[in-house]
Amino acid sequence: MKIRSFRVIPTLPETLNPILSLAYNAWCSWNQRGLRLFRHMDRDLWEETSHNPVEMLSRLSQGRIMDLMEDEGFLSQMKRTTEEFDDYMSETGVYSFLLTQPIDFTIAYFSMEFGLIESLPIYSGGLGILAGDHLKSASDLRLPLCGVGLMYKHGYFTQYLSWDGWQQEASPNNDFYHMTLILEQDSKNQPVKISVNLAGRQCWAQIWKCQVGRVPLYLLDTYLEENHPEDRMVTGGLYAGSMEDRLRQEIVLGVGGMRALEALGIESMVYHMNEGHSFLVGLECIRVLMKKHNLDFHTAREVVRSSLVFTTHTPVPAGNDVFEIGLVEKYLKPYVDEIGIKWSDFLGLGRKRSQDDKEPFGATVFALKNSTFCNGVSKLHGEVSRDMWKDIWPHVKTEDIPISSITNGIHIPSWISDEMADLFDRYLGPRWKEDPDNQKVWERIDEIPDAELWATHQRRRERLVAFARRKLGKQLQARGAKPSDLQRAMETMHPDALTIGFAKRFATYKRGLLLYRDIERLKTILSSTEHPVQIIVSGKAHPRDHEGKTIIQKIIHIAREEPFRDRIVFLEDYNMNIGRYLVEGVDIWLNTPRRPLEACGTSGMKATANGALNLSIQDGWWVEGYQPDLGWSIGNGEVYENLEYQDQVESKAIYDLLEREIIPLFYDRGLDGLPRRWIAMMKRSMRTLCPMFNSNRMVEEYTDRCYMSAALNLKGLVADDFRKVKDLVKWKEFLFSHWDEVRVVDINHEEGDEVSVHTEITVKAEIHLGALGPSDISARVYFGTLDDAGNLSDTRDVTMDHIKEKGKGNHLFEARINCTATGRFGYTVRILPSNPNLVRAVDLGLICWA
């Protein structure tokens, strides 16, 4: 039986037509006026469709449409909203950060997941939410960026719990035609399609577009009739299946994503890989460059590396994909053969030790080796990443490993409550949305009256409690609970009690049970009638993470016992909507990762923007954000060898902080009933942290430090028919053939073994360069304090000047060191290759120490 398909799209009377442009743009997800407009149309249907404007419009009754056409208040609201949207899209009145030169290039941002709106479930957690916030801020900042990802038929799994508290998973189908998506079509109104080779079979993908304000997000979909059934499921689910399934997805994302941009006529100069899943972007860039410009592999790789930005997101091994060589060979050998490089050379690019035939192939390693700009997502994570991946650069000191850090941030308008946004509009003005990283804007927080700020926060806590009761009731009903249990669910928790939020992925390193180690002490804290405390918990474990599921089950069992039954609630199927209710309504955001495994964490930032205070281990962003008057630190950033002892110490610290500081401060009320000291802490936290930990600052930092430099690098290398890069490749060949001649003959200084503070010493080095010249190297004095073991610490380095040639390949260099402190110091000399067209010297692996 042959079936021909067609699409029916929502239509509205001409009067209401402007709403369609709003429905097909994610802008309304972070614009309060837009959200109110859709809620006004049909509040129940809005909730029922998970805030999906396209599906809601398709299900809106004719009677309700007629009512809206006669509703003058609604029509006025629609007019104001569409005018604001049109102004935004036409760049009117929007803040744009200042750059030394204009951006005349496009950035392509690749990610396996994007968390934009709850009705587009193609995200699992923090990585996807971060990617979504990146696109939103790029839109706000008018950055010429586009996103590239995958459109999953089942998305990430939905969670429900058995009566015994064991996590169960379901994978409902996504109906792409009822989402904020438009299918990309060619001039003949046919879907634009691309193909990739998957182990000898052509796998086709069509391209959906989700418009995110001014920024397009392109999503590849392989669920097509012309594909083999196995290939259709490449975009079946997020992080589903085996490592082979994962590799197939990453081929479609990296190689297919690049081909999708080409098919759409988008020429990007800079490519940003958000985690190692898109590691093949670089290889496809090289292939295209070789084909178009008749370049050899090494020349093309030099060009491509200069324009690649790579962000690593986790120090946890499971978060960095590693593939067996046989699997990589099955899928990538034909592709590598087509490019024309040795298979062993390709595998070496995916190994920390290039010549180690026993090492598997690492996606993160490949991305690090082929990207000039690499970063972690917090300062501590940058340090951890440098140590974690130091084997890639074996001759480089850990602190010099070329992995920097750009701390994550949140898109504040997306995560702030309607009520708090109104408060900010009145007292801070519109610049809290347009210019959120401006410290002066947030200083106006102090102008908000205490009573008004507290009333706003109280209202959000009340809404959180009401939401939790409804959600709990539905969960119990689904499990066949008795009427008495359902009634009790409607009375659980208290809208005025100190409320702690804990929501995240239930990976074991996040220590979901840390708060429950001393049940008797927790009972004492939560059962107080004078100073009540309650906890709302939510989160998913990976379907194959048995330990994570066990943690959830234990929390469920504890929450069913008295007196916890009315004080601890677990909300099933954690998603953006639940997350938003939590960060908007809790008083305390609890975070208990095992340091240093939390790369950044952004939930605490969202809670901060809504007036909550953080109680957290000093890990990720909280290392940078914590000050004693802004929140609470569990410990002082210690790292323990005995993990059981660590859990014991840090769980006790949580109880101590709650009993001695947090609860007394929260319930310390003045004659007017306001917790004045608590409110003062809320204000200090918002005033200090919001301008730092927002995604506008983050995207500006990526632009200033990575995107602009990457584009300039690329422009320089491709100019004059790639002359500079061709010269660079020849120079490298010459360098490698003569580097073994380089050595430091002697280093000394003339000022003696004792010098006065605030004086300078002149360090001289005689260096043998052989066939190389002074312009081929960079000699640097590496100096710092000297410890008892004779090791340098707190090091700095200074470039040495070439003074003269001494003959027979020897050269004299010198530099001055300013002795600004007293103590025992030492120095040595380090030599690196140098070339004006060389982007990153340490990648050559050529370092000579005295």
Side-chain angles (χ1 to χ4, degrees), residues 423-434:
L423 201 62
F424 286 174
D425 283 342
R426 288 201 301 278
Y427 291 98
L428 276 62
R431 293 187 69 192
W432 72 269
K433 288 179 284 193
E434 299 165 3

PDB file of all heavy atoms in Angstrom, residues 423-434:
ATOM      1  N   LEU A 423      10.094  43.083  38.907  1.00  0.00           N
ATOM      2  CA  LEU A 423      10.783  43.850  39.951  1.00  0.00           C
ATOM      3  C   LEU A 423      12.057  44.484  39.395  1.00  0.00           C
ATOM      4  O   LEU A 423      12.339  45.671  39.633  1.00  0.00           O
ATOM      5  CB  LEU A 423      11.112  42.911  41.122  1.00  0.00           C
ATOM      6  CG  LEU A 423      11.378  43.554  42.484  1.00  0.00           C
ATOM      7  CD1 LEU A 423      10.153  44.298  42.982  1.00  0.00           C
ATOM      8  CD2 LEU A 423      11.794  42.476  43.481  1.00  0.00           C
ATOM      9  N   PHE A 424      12.800  43.721  38.641  1.00  0.00           N
ATOM     10  CA  PHE A 424      14.024  44.248  38.038  1.00  0.00           C
ATOM     11  C   PHE A 424      13.712  45.349  37.022  1.00  0.00           C
ATOM     12  O   PHE A 424      14.445  46.337  36.928  1.00  0.00           O
ATOM     13  CB  PHE A 424      14.804  43.123  37.350  1.00  0.00           C
ATOM     14  CG  PHE A 424      15.502  42.185  38.304  1.00  0.00           C
ATOM     15  CD1 PHE A 424      16.148  41.058  37.834  1.00  0.00           C
ATOM     16  CD2 PHE A 424      15.518  42.416  39.670  1.00  0.00           C
ATOM     17  CE1 PHE A 424      16.800  40.187  38.686  1.00  0.00           C
ATOM     18  CE2 PHE A 424      16.150  41.563  40.547  1.00  0.00           C
ATOM     19  CZ  PHE A 424      16.797  40.440  40.053  1.00  0.00           C
ATOM     20  N   ASP A 425      12.661  45.164  36.244  1.00  0.00           N
ATOM     21  CA  ASP A 425      12.280  46.196  35.270  1.00  0.00           C
ATOM     22  C   ASP A 425      12.019  47.528  35.971  1.00  0.00           C
ATOM     23  O   ASP A 425      12.420  48.591  35.486  1.00  0.00           O
ATOM     24  CB  ASP A 425      11.028  45.768  34.501  1.00  0.00           C
ATOM     25  CG  ASP A 425      11.324  44.739  33.415  1.00  0.00           C
ATOM     26  OD1 ASP A 425      12.496  44.619  33.026  1.00  0.00           O
ATOM     27  OD2 ASP A 425      10.378  44.064  32.971  1.00  0.00           O
ATOM     28  N   ARG A 426      11.360  47.455  37.132  1.00  0.00           N
ATOM     29  CA  ARG A 426      10.995  48.690  37.842  1.00  0.00           C
ATOM     30  C   ARG A 426      12.193  49.374  38.474  1.00  0.00           C
ATOM     31  O   ARG A 426      12.294  50.597  38.462  1.00  0.00           O
ATOM     32  CB  ARG A 426       9.953  48.393  38.927  1.00  0.00           C
ATOM     33  CG  ARG A 426       8.568  48.067  38.388  1.00  0.00           C
ATOM     34  CD  ARG A 426       7.491  48.292  39.440  1.00  0.00           C
ATOM     35  NE  ARG A 426       7.677  47.508  40.645  1.00  0.00           N
ATOM     36  CZ  ARG A 426       7.311  46.236  40.797  1.00  0.00           C
ATOM     37  NH1 ARG A 426       6.752  45.606  39.782  1.00  0.00           N
ATOM     38  NH2 ARG A 426       7.510  45.606  41.932  1.00  0.00           N
ATOM     39  N   TYR A 427      13.105  48.597  39.050  1.00  0.00           N
ATOM     40  CA  TYR A 427      14.185  49.196  39.842  1.00  0.00           C
ATOM     41  C   TYR A 427      15.555  49.195  39.147  1.00  0.00           C
ATOM     42  O   TYR A 427      16.409  50.012  39.475  1.00  0.00           O
ATOM     43  CB  TYR A 427      14.291  48.486  41.200  1.00  0.00           C
ATOM     44  CG  TYR A 427      13.115  48.774  42.094  1.00  0.00           C
ATOM     45  CD1 TYR A 427      12.049  47.879  42.190  1.00  0.00           C
ATOM     46  CD2 TYR A 427      13.036  49.963  42.815  1.00  0.00           C
ATOM     47  CE1 TYR A 427      10.946  48.145  42.990  1.00  0.00           C
ATOM     48  CE2 TYR A 427      11.941  50.241  43.629  1.00  0.00           C
ATOM     49  CZ  TYR A 427      10.904  49.334  43.711  1.00  0.00           C
ATOM     50  OH  TYR A 427       9.813  49.601  44.499  1.00  0.00           O
ATOM     51  N   LEU A 428      15.778  48.262  38.214  1.00  0.00           N
ATOM     52  CA  LEU A 428      17.058  48.204  37.525  1.00  0.00           C
ATOM     53  C   LEU A 428      16.973  48.778  36.114  1.00  0.00           C
ATOM     54  O   LEU A 428      18.007  49.109  35.515  1.00  0.00           O
ATOM     55  CB  LEU A 428      17.571  46.759  37.437  1.00  0.00           C
ATOM     56  CG  LEU A 428      18.339  46.186  38.636  1.00  0.00           C
ATOM     57  CD1 LEU A 428      17.467  46.144  39.889  1.00  0.00           C
ATOM     58  CD2 LEU A 428      18.826  44.766  38.313  1.00  0.00           C
ATOM     59  N   GLY A 429      15.757  48.879  35.581  1.00  0.00           N
ATOM     60  CA  GLY A 429      15.612  49.319  34.205  1.00  0.00           C
ATOM     61  C   GLY A 429      15.858  48.161  33.245  1.00  0.00           C
ATOM     62  O   GLY A 429      16.238  47.059  33.647  1.00  0.00           O
ATOM     63  N   PRO A 430      15.683  48.365  31.948  1.00  0.00           N
ATOM     64  CA  PRO A 430      15.777  47.271  30.972  1.00  0.00           C
ATOM     65  C   PRO A 430      17.181  46.718  30.776  1.00  0.00           C
ATOM     66  O   PRO A 430      17.353  45.653  30.187  1.00  0.00           O
ATOM     67  CB  PRO A 430      15.264  47.918  29.678  1.00  0.00           C
ATOM     68  CG  PRO A 430      15.540  49.382  29.854  1.00  0.00           C
ATOM     69  CD  PRO A 430      15.343  49.654  31.309  1.00  0.00           C
ATOM     70  N   ARG A 431      18.195  47.409  31.286  1.00  0.00           N
ATOM     71  CA  ARG A 431      19.575  46.984  30.981  1.00  0.00           C
ATOM     72  C   ARG A 431      19.968  45.695  31.693  1.00  0.00           C
ATOM     73  O   ARG A 431      20.968  45.075  31.339  1.00  0.00           O
ATOM     74  CB  ARG A 431      20.555  48.109  31.316  1.00  0.00           C
ATOM     75  CG  ARG A 431      20.396  49.331  30.405  1.00  0.00           C
ATOM     76  CD  ARG A 431      21.481  50.353  30.642  1.00  0.00           C
ATOM     77  NE  ARG A 431      22.774  49.855  30.190  1.00  0.00           N
ATOM     78  CZ  ARG A 431      23.917  50.461  30.498  1.00  0.00           C
ATOM     79  NH1 ARG A 431      23.930  51.533  31.266  1.00  0.00           N
ATOM     80  NH2 ARG A 431      25.058  49.969  30.050  1.00  0.00           N
ATOM     81  N   TRP A 432      19.192  45.239  32.692  1.00  0.00           N
ATOM     82  CA  TRP A 432      19.519  43.952  33.311  1.00  0.00           C
ATOM     83  C   TRP A 432      19.365  42.815  32.297  1.00  0.00           C
ATOM     84  O   TRP A 432      20.039  41.776  32.424  1.00  0.00           O
ATOM     85  CB  TRP A 432      18.653  43.686  34.550  1.00  0.00           C
ATOM     86  CG  TRP A 432      17.203  43.367  34.271  1.00  0.00           C
ATOM     87  CD1 TRP A 432      16.167  44.246  34.192  1.00  0.00           C
ATOM     88  CD2 TRP A 432      16.645  42.066  34.043  1.00  0.00           C
ATOM     89  NE1 TRP A 432      14.994  43.584  33.913  1.00  0.00           N
ATOM     90  CE2 TRP A 432      15.264  42.244  33.823  1.00  0.00           C
ATOM     91  CE3 TRP A 432      17.168  40.781  33.986  1.00  0.00           C
ATOM     92  CZ2 TRP A 432      14.398  41.178  33.563  1.00  0.00           C
ATOM     93  CZ3 TRP A 432      16.308  39.722  33.722  1.00  0.00           C
ATOM     94  CH2 TRP A 432      14.945  39.919  33.527  1.00  0.00           C
ATOM     95  N   LYS A 433      18.524  43.018  31.275  1.00  0.00           N
ATOM     96  CA  LYS A 433      18.375  42.037  30.199  1.00  0.00           C
ATOM     97  C   LYS A 433      19.343  42.320  29.061  1.00  0.00           C
ATOM     98  O   LYS A 433      19.900  41.409  28.459  1.00  0.00           O
ATOM     99  CB  LYS A 433      16.936  42.055  29.655  1.00  0.00           C
ATOM    100  CG  LYS A 433      15.904  41.466  30.588  1.00  0.00           C
ATOM    101  CD  LYS A 433      14.512  41.533  30.005  1.00  0.00           C
ATOM    102  CE  LYS A 433      13.936  42.935  30.087  1.00  0.00           C
ATOM    103  NZ  LYS A 433      12.475  42.987  29.806  1.00  0.00           N
ATOM    104  N   GLU A 434      19.532  43.596  28.750  1.00  0.00           N
ATOM    105  CA  GLU A 434      20.321  43.977  27.576  1.00  0.00           C
ATOM    106  C   GLU A 434      21.817  43.990  27.851  1.00  0.00           C
ATOM    107  O   GLU A 434      22.620  43.759  26.950  1.00  0.00           O
ATOM    108  CB  GLU A 434      19.869  45.367  27.103  1.00  0.00           C
ATOM    109  CG  GLU A 434      18.401  45.421  26.701  1.00  0.00           C
ATOM    110  CD  GLU A 434      17.884  46.853  26.589  1.00  0.00           C
ATOM    111  OE1 GLU A 434      18.698  47.787  26.767  1.00  0.00           O
ATOM    112  OE2 GLU A 434      16.683  47.032  26.328  1.00  0.00           O
TER     113      GLU A 434
END
